[in-house]
PDB file of all heavy atoms in Angstrom:
ATOM      1  N   VAL A 320      23.630  28.127   2.551  1.00 33.00           N
ATOM      2  CA  VAL A 320      24.149  27.144   1.683  1.00 33.00           C
ATOM      3  C   VAL A 320      23.352  27.056   0.369  1.00 33.00           C
ATOM      4  O   VAL A 320      22.165  27.107   0.414  1.00 33.00           O
ATOM      5  CB  VAL A 320      24.154  25.710   2.376  1.00 33.00           C
ATOM      6  CG1 VAL A 320      24.712  24.634   1.478  1.00 33.00           C
ATOM      7  CG2 VAL A 320      24.972  25.743   3.690  1.00 33.00           C
ATOM      8  N   GLN A 321      24.115  26.978  -0.666  1.00 36.00           N
ATOM      9  CA  GLN A 321      23.336  26.847  -1.950  1.00 36.00           C
ATOM     10  C   GLN A 321      22.556  25.508  -2.039  1.00 36.00           C
ATOM     11  O   GLN A 321      23.042  24.538  -1.574  1.00 36.00           O
ATOM     12  CB  GLN A 321      24.302  26.822  -3.144  1.00 36.00           C
ATOM     13  CG  GLN A 321      23.622  26.843  -4.532  1.00 36.00           C
ATOM     14  CD  GLN A 321      24.651  26.906  -5.619  1.00 36.00           C
ATOM     15  OE1 GLN A 321      25.782  27.111  -5.327  1.00 36.00           O
ATOM     16  NE2 GLN A 321      24.190  26.758  -6.834  1.00 36.00           N
ATOM     17  N   ALA A 322      21.249  25.695  -2.413  1.00 36.00           N
ATOM     18  CA  ALA A 322      20.331  24.615  -2.374  1.00 36.00           C
ATOM     19  C   ALA A 322      20.834  23.449  -3.310  1.00 36.00           C
ATOM     20  O   ALA A 322      21.356  23.768  -4.444  1.00 36.00           O
ATOM     21  CB  ALA A 322      18.956  25.079  -2.814  1.00 36.00           C
ATOM     22  N   ALA A 323      20.685  22.350  -2.794  1.00 37.00           N
ATOM     23  CA  ALA A 323      21.006  21.129  -3.655  1.00 37.00           C
ATOM     24  C   ALA A 323      19.908  20.754  -4.600  1.00 37.00           C
ATOM     25  O   ALA A 323      18.687  21.145  -4.292  1.00 37.00           O
ATOM     26  CB  ALA A 323      21.271  19.860  -2.720  1.00 37.00           C
ATOM     27  N   PRO A 324      20.172  20.032  -5.653  1.00 40.00           N
ATOM     28  CA  PRO A 324      19.044  19.656  -6.525  1.00 40.00           C
ATOM     29  C   PRO A 324      18.007  18.771  -5.646  1.00 40.00           C
ATOM     30  O   PRO A 324      18.394  17.985  -4.929  1.00 40.00           O
ATOM     31  CB  PRO A 324      19.854  18.626  -7.506  1.00 40.00           C
ATOM     32  CG  PRO A 324      21.224  19.101  -7.569  1.00 40.00           C
ATOM     33  CD  PRO A 324      21.429  19.632  -6.110  1.00 40.00           C
ATOM     34  N   VAL A 325      16.772  19.191  -5.911  1.00 37.00           N
ATOM     35  CA  VAL A 325      15.702  18.548  -5.097  1.00 37.00           C
ATOM     36  C   VAL A 325      15.450  17.152  -5.611  1.00 37.00           C
ATOM     37  O   VAL A 325      15.259  16.920  -6.777  1.00 37.00           O
ATOM     38  CB  VAL A 325      14.397  19.368  -5.241  1.00 37.00           C
ATOM     39  CG1 VAL A 325      13.252  18.674  -4.510  1.00 37.00           C
ATOM     40  CG2 VAL A 325      14.621  20.790  -4.678  1.00 37.00           C
ATOM     41  N   ARG A 326      15.412  16.213  -4.719  1.00 41.00           N
ATOM     42  CA  ARG A 326      15.154  14.852  -4.986  1.00 41.00           C
ATOM     43  C   ARG A 326      13.653  14.666  -5.226  1.00 41.00           C
ATOM     44  O   ARG A 326      12.820  15.019  -4.351  1.00 41.00           O
ATOM     45  CB  ARG A 326      15.563  13.925  -3.890  1.00 41.00           C
ATOM     46  CG  ARG A 326      15.350  12.421  -4.133  1.00 41.00           C
ATOM     47  CD  ARG A 326      15.548  11.595  -2.960  1.00 41.00           C
ATOM     48  NE  ARG A 326      16.937  11.639  -2.428  1.00 41.00           N
ATOM     49  CZ  ARG A 326      17.361  12.272  -1.395  1.00 41.00           C
ATOM     50  NH1 ARG A 326      16.452  12.833  -0.591  1.00 41.00           N
ATOM     51  NH2 ARG A 326      18.597  12.331  -1.051  1.00 41.00           N
ATOM     52  N   VAL A 327      13.242  14.208  -6.416  1.00 37.00           N
ATOM     53  CA  VAL A 327      11.844  14.115  -6.669  1.00 37.00           C
ATOM     54  C   VAL A 327      11.421  12.672  -6.320  1.00 37.00           C
ATOM     55  O   VAL A 327      11.668  11.667  -7.019  1.00 37.00           O
ATOM     56  CB  VAL A 327      11.488  14.321  -8.125  1.00 37.00           C
ATOM     57  CG1 VAL A 327       9.998  14.199  -8.449  1.00 37.00           C
ATOM     58  CG2 VAL A 327      11.998  15.749  -8.619  1.00 37.00           C
ATOM     59  N   ALA A 328      10.770  12.495  -5.138  1.00 39.00           N
ATOM     60  CA  ALA A 328      10.402  11.125  -4.674  1.00 39.00           C
ATOM     61  C   ALA A 328       8.952  10.898  -5.119  1.00 39.00           C
ATOM     62  O   ALA A 328       7.976  11.051  -4.289  1.00 39.00           O
ATOM     63  CB  ALA A 328      10.536  11.085  -3.182  1.00 39.00           C
ATOM     64  N   SER A 329       8.791  10.477  -6.373  1.00 39.00           N
ATOM     65  CA  SER A 329       7.408  10.244  -6.883  1.00 39.00           C
ATOM     66  C   SER A 329       6.780   9.000  -6.169  1.00 39.00           C
ATOM     67  O   SER A 329       7.489   8.044  -5.868  1.00 39.00           O
ATOM     68  CB  SER A 329       7.493   9.919  -8.320  1.00 39.00           C
ATOM     69  OG  SER A 329       6.218   9.442  -8.742  1.00 39.00           O
ATOM     70  N   PRO A 330       5.580   9.159  -5.758  1.00 39.00           N
ATOM     71  CA  PRO A 330       4.908   8.015  -5.111  1.00 39.00           C
ATOM     72  C   PRO A 330       4.587   6.895  -5.991  1.00 39.00           C
ATOM     73  O   PRO A 330       4.232   5.801  -5.573  1.00 39.00           O
ATOM     74  CB  PRO A 330       3.693   8.621  -4.476  1.00 39.00           C
ATOM     75  CG  PRO A 330       3.222   9.704  -5.351  1.00 39.00           C
ATOM     76  CD  PRO A 330       4.575  10.266  -5.886  1.00 39.00           C
ATOM     77  N   SER A 331       4.593   7.081  -7.238  1.00 36.00           N
ATOM     78  CA  SER A 331       4.266   5.945  -8.104  1.00 36.00           C
ATOM     79  C   SER A 331       5.408   4.886  -8.099  1.00 36.00           C
ATOM     80  O   SER A 331       6.452   5.224  -7.954  1.00 36.00           O
ATOM     81  CB  SER A 331       4.132   6.574  -9.633  1.00 36.00           C
ATOM     82  OG  SER A 331       5.331   7.134  -9.987  1.00 36.00           O
ATOM     83  N   SER A 332       4.931   3.708  -8.267  1.00 34.00           N
ATOM     84  CA  SER A 332       5.949   2.583  -8.100  1.00 34.00           C
ATOM     85  C   SER A 332       6.724   2.454  -9.349  1.00 34.00           C
ATOM     86  O   SER A 332       6.331   2.528 -10.450  1.00 34.00           O
ATOM     87  CB  SER A 332       5.035   1.245  -7.980  1.00 34.00           C
ATOM     88  OG  SER A 332       4.457   1.321  -6.700  1.00 34.00           O
ATOM     89  N   THR A 333       8.058   2.228  -9.044  1.00 34.00           N
ATOM     90  CA  THR A 333       9.074   1.870 -10.112  1.00 34.00           C
ATOM     91  C   THR A 333       9.681   0.600  -9.577  1.00 34.00           C
ATOM     92  O   THR A 333       9.547   0.219  -8.461  1.00 34.00           O
ATOM     93  CB  THR A 333      10.069   3.039 -10.418  1.00 34.00           C
ATOM     94  OG1 THR A 333      10.790   3.145  -9.232  1.00 34.00           O
ATOM     95  CG2 THR A 333       9.386   4.270 -10.771  1.00 34.00           C
ATOM     96  N   ALA A 334      10.516  -0.041 -10.430  1.00 38.00           N
ATOM     97  CA  ALA A 334      11.193  -1.180 -10.024  1.00 38.00           C
ATOM     98  C   ALA A 334      12.090  -0.925  -8.758  1.00 38.00           C
ATOM     99  O   ALA A 334      12.180  -1.732  -7.849  1.00 38.00           O
ATOM    100  CB  ALA A 334      12.057  -1.814 -11.124  1.00 38.00           C
ATOM    101  N   ALA A 335      12.715   0.251  -8.780  1.00 39.00           N
ATOM    102  CA  ALA A 335      13.646   0.561  -7.651  1.00 39.00           C
ATOM    103  C   ALA A 335      12.841   0.900  -6.323  1.00 39.00           C
ATOM    104  O   ALA A 335      13.279   0.451  -5.256  1.00 39.00           O
ATOM    105  CB  ALA A 335      14.568   1.681  -8.009  1.00 39.00           C
ATOM    106  N   MET A 336      11.799   1.607  -6.506  1.00 39.00           N
ATOM    107  CA  MET A 336      11.068   2.124  -5.283  1.00 39.00           C
ATOM    108  C   MET A 336      10.025   1.128  -4.835  1.00 39.00           C
ATOM    109  O   MET A 336       9.589   1.136  -3.647  1.00 39.00           O
ATOM    110  CB  MET A 336      10.351   3.439  -5.657  1.00 39.00           C
ATOM    111  CG  MET A 336      11.397   4.539  -5.853  1.00 39.00           C
ATOM    112  SD  MET A 336      10.606   6.148  -5.842  1.00 39.00           S
ATOM    113  CE  MET A 336      10.179   6.378  -4.110  1.00 39.00           C
ATOM    114  N   ALA A 337       9.526   0.184  -5.750  1.00 39.00           N
ATOM    115  CA  ALA A 337       8.569  -0.785  -5.281  1.00 39.00           C
ATOM    116  C   ALA A 337       9.159  -1.695  -4.285  1.00 39.00           C
ATOM    117  O   ALA A 337       8.490  -2.292  -3.422  1.00 39.00           O
ATOM    118  CB  ALA A 337       8.072  -1.542  -6.487  1.00 39.00           C
ATOM    119  N   ALA A 338      10.429  -2.008  -4.354  1.00 42.00           N
ATOM    120  CA  ALA A 338      11.007  -2.936  -3.441  1.00 42.00           C
ATOM    121  C   ALA A 338      12.404  -2.477  -2.989  1.00 42.00           C
ATOM    122  O   ALA A 338      13.505  -2.946  -3.239  1.00 42.00           O
ATOM    123  CB  ALA A 338      11.232  -4.303  -4.148  1.00 42.00           C
ATOM    124  N   PRO A 339      12.375  -1.280  -2.124  1.00 49.00           N
ATOM    125  CA  PRO A 339      13.617  -0.758  -1.639  1.00 49.00           C
ATOM    126  C   PRO A 339      14.444  -1.610  -0.744  1.00 49.00           C
ATOM    127  O   PRO A 339      15.600  -1.403  -0.502  1.00 49.00           O
ATOM    128  CB  PRO A 339      13.255   0.536  -0.996  1.00 49.00           C
ATOM    129  CG  PRO A 339      11.887   0.333  -0.545  1.00 49.00           C
ATOM    130  CD  PRO A 339      11.226  -0.654  -1.615  1.00 49.00           C
ATOM    131  N   VAL A 340      13.809  -2.603  -0.127  1.00 56.00           N
ATOM    132  CA  VAL A 340      14.513  -3.645   0.669  1.00 56.00           C
ATOM    133  C   VAL A 340      14.077  -4.966   0.226  1.00 56.00           C
ATOM    134  O   VAL A 340      12.870  -5.165  -0.076  1.00 56.00           O
ATOM    135  CB  VAL A 340      14.205  -3.432   2.209  1.00 56.00           C
ATOM    136  CG1 VAL A 340      14.969  -2.359   2.786  1.00 56.00           C
ATOM    137  CG2 VAL A 340      12.699  -3.270   2.490  1.00 56.00           C
ATOM    138  N   ALA A 341      14.981  -5.870   0.024  1.00 53.00           N
ATOM    139  CA  ALA A 341      14.694  -7.242  -0.475  1.00 53.00           C
ATOM    140  C   ALA A 341      13.961  -8.009   0.589  1.00 53.00           C
ATOM    141  O   ALA A 341      13.230  -8.902   0.197  1.00 53.00           O
ATOM    142  CB  ALA A 341      15.964  -7.854  -0.890  1.00 53.00           C
ATOM    143  N   ARG A 342      14.225  -7.816   1.840  1.00 69.00           N
ATOM    144  CA  ARG A 342      13.521  -8.595   2.844  1.00 69.00           C
ATOM    145  C   ARG A 342      13.368  -7.691   4.049  1.00 69.00           C
ATOM    146  O   ARG A 342      13.923  -6.690   4.290  1.00 69.00           O
ATOM    147  CB  ARG A 342      14.456  -9.709   3.297  1.00 69.00           C
ATOM    148  CG  ARG A 342      15.840  -9.306   3.725  1.00 69.00           C
ATOM    149  CD  ARG A 342      16.747 -10.515   3.915  1.00 69.00           C
ATOM    150  NE  ARG A 342      18.104 -10.109   4.213  1.00 69.00           N
ATOM    151  CZ  ARG A 342      18.492  -9.874   5.427  1.00 69.00           C
ATOM    152  NH1 ARG A 342      17.668  -9.961   6.456  1.00 69.00           N
ATOM    153  NH2 ARG A 342      19.823  -9.486   5.610  1.00 69.00           N
ATOM    154  N   LEU A 343      12.420  -8.120   4.885  1.00 83.00           N
ATOM    155  CA  LEU A 343      12.126  -7.378   6.179  1.00 83.00           C
ATOM    156  C   LEU A 343      13.147  -7.661   7.254  1.00 83.00           C
ATOM    157  O   LEU A 343      13.455  -8.847   7.524  1.00 83.00           O
ATOM    158  CB  LEU A 343      10.732  -7.793   6.682  1.00 83.00           C
ATOM    159  CG  LEU A 343      10.224  -7.042   7.984  1.00 83.00           C
ATOM    160  CD1 LEU A 343      10.152  -5.541   7.652  1.00 83.00           C
ATOM    161  CD2 LEU A 343       8.848  -7.646   8.368  1.00 83.00           C
ATOM    162  N   ILE A 344      13.821  -6.718   7.717  1.00 86.00           N
ATOM    163  CA  ILE A 344      14.925  -6.849   8.662  1.00 86.00           C
ATOM    164  C   ILE A 344      14.397  -6.511   9.945  1.00 86.00           C
ATOM    165  O   ILE A 344      14.012  -5.346  10.341  1.00 86.00           O
ATOM    166  CB  ILE A 344      16.066  -5.916   8.367  1.00 86.00           C
ATOM    167  CG1 ILE A 344      16.657  -6.334   6.890  1.00 86.00           C
ATOM    168  CG2 ILE A 344      17.167  -6.154   9.406  1.00 86.00           C
ATOM    169  CD1 ILE A 344      17.681  -5.390   6.460  1.00 86.00           C
ATOM    170  N   ALA A 345      14.254  -7.521  10.928  1.00 87.00           N
ATOM    171  CA  ALA A 345      13.771  -7.266  12.307  1.00 87.00           C
ATOM    172  C   ALA A 345      14.834  -6.642  13.123  1.00 87.00           C
ATOM    173  O   ALA A 345      16.022  -6.967  13.001  1.00 87.00           O
ATOM    174  CB  ALA A 345      13.310  -8.622  12.894  1.00 87.00           C
ATOM    175  N   PRO A 346      14.464  -5.715  14.034  1.00 92.00           N
ATOM    176  CA  PRO A 346      15.504  -5.163  14.976  1.00 92.00           C
ATOM    177  C   PRO A 346      16.079  -6.086  15.847  1.00 92.00           C
ATOM    178  O   PRO A 346      15.411  -6.921  16.494  1.00 92.00           O
ATOM    179  CB  PRO A 346      14.649  -4.028  15.683  1.00 92.00           C
ATOM    180  CG  PRO A 346      13.273  -4.582  15.690  1.00 92.00           C
ATOM    181  CD  PRO A 346      13.059  -5.315  14.346  1.00 92.00           C
ATOM    182  N   ALA A 347      17.349  -6.048  16.070  1.00 91.00           N
ATOM    183  CA  ALA A 347      18.007  -6.915  17.118  1.00 91.00           C
ATOM    184  C   ALA A 347      18.122  -6.173  18.437  1.00 91.00           C
ATOM    185  O   ALA A 347      17.904  -4.879  18.495  1.00 91.00           O
ATOM    186  CB  ALA A 347      19.433  -7.210  16.617  1.00 91.00           C
ATOM    187  N   ALA A 348      18.360  -6.811  19.495  1.00 91.00           N
ATOM    188  CA  ALA A 348      18.466  -6.276  20.799  1.00 91.00           C
ATOM    189  C   ALA A 348      19.650  -5.299  20.714  1.00 91.00           C
ATOM    190  O   ALA A 348      20.742  -5.583  20.325  1.00 91.00           O
ATOM    191  CB  ALA A 348      18.627  -7.240  21.809  1.00 91.00           C
ATOM    192  N   PRO A 349      19.501  -4.025  21.175  1.00 92.00           N
ATOM    193  CA  PRO A 349      20.580  -3.038  21.126  1.00 92.00           C
ATOM    194  C   PRO A 349      21.627  -3.335  22.208  1.00 92.00           C
ATOM    195  O   PRO A 349      21.307  -3.983  23.172  1.00 92.00           O
ATOM    196  CB  PRO A 349      19.859  -1.736  21.591  1.00 92.00           C
ATOM    197  CG  PRO A 349      18.690  -2.084  22.243  1.00 92.00           C
ATOM    198  CD  PRO A 349      18.230  -3.380  21.695  1.00 92.00           C
ATOM    199  N   PRO A 350      22.877  -3.145  21.979  1.00 92.00           N
ATOM    200  CA  PRO A 350      23.933  -3.325  22.853  1.00 92.00           C
ATOM    201  C   PRO A 350      23.779  -2.689  24.186  1.00 92.00           C
ATOM    202  O   PRO A 350      23.172  -1.620  24.208  1.00 92.00           O
ATOM    203  CB  PRO A 350      25.200  -2.953  22.160  1.00 92.00           C
ATOM    204  CG  PRO A 350      24.782  -1.935  21.119  1.00 92.00           C
ATOM    205  CD  PRO A 350      23.386  -2.359  20.684  1.00 92.00           C
ATOM    206  N   ALA A 351      24.259  -3.213  25.258  1.00 92.00           N
ATOM    207  CA  ALA A 351      24.174  -2.553  26.543  1.00 92.00           C
ATOM    208  C   ALA A 351      24.799  -1.181  26.525  1.00 92.00           C
ATOM    209  O   ALA A 351      25.906  -1.035  25.921  1.00 92.00           O
ATOM    210  CB  ALA A 351      24.840  -3.410  27.616  1.00 92.00           C
ATOM    211  N   GLY A 352      24.226  -0.250  27.191  1.00 92.00           N
ATOM    212  CA  GLY A 352      24.753   1.103  27.257  1.00 92.00           C
ATOM    213  C   GLY A 352      24.648   1.883  25.894  1.00 92.00           C
ATOM    214  O   GLY A 352      25.354   2.878  25.776  1.00 92.00           O
ATOM    215  N   ASP A 353      23.809   1.444  25.072  1.00 96.00           N
ATOM    216  CA  ASP A 353      23.636   2.142  23.720  1.00 96.00           C
ATOM    217  C   ASP A 353      23.087   3.533  23.997  1.00 96.00           C
ATOM    218  O   ASP A 353      22.285   3.821  24.859  1.00 96.00           O
ATOM    219  CB  ASP A 353      22.680   1.323  22.786  1.00 96.00           C
ATOM    220  CG  ASP A 353      23.046   1.549  21.342  1.00 96.00           C
ATOM    221  OD1 ASP A 353      24.119   2.012  20.973  1.00 96.00           O
ATOM    222  OD2 ASP A 353      22.174   1.231  20.514  1.00 96.00           O
ATOM    223  N   SER A 354      23.463   4.432  23.041  1.00 98.00           N
ATOM    224  CA  SER A 354      22.930   5.828  23.114  1.00 98.00           C
ATOM    225  C   SER A 354      23.057   6.423  21.711  1.00 98.00           C
ATOM    226  O   SER A 354      23.820   5.989  20.891  1.00 98.00           O
ATOM    227  CB  SER A 354      23.744   6.611  24.164  1.00 98.00           C
ATOM    228  OG  SER A 354      25.053   6.829  23.673  1.00 98.00           O
TER     229      SER A 354
END
């Protein structure tokens, strides 16, 4: 497969990367029989 443009994930903080989630989301109990 032809290579896709490489995503440059710079570790330096930007407004978008400094806060990729607005709040911490705690995991909920998984449904019964989940797989």
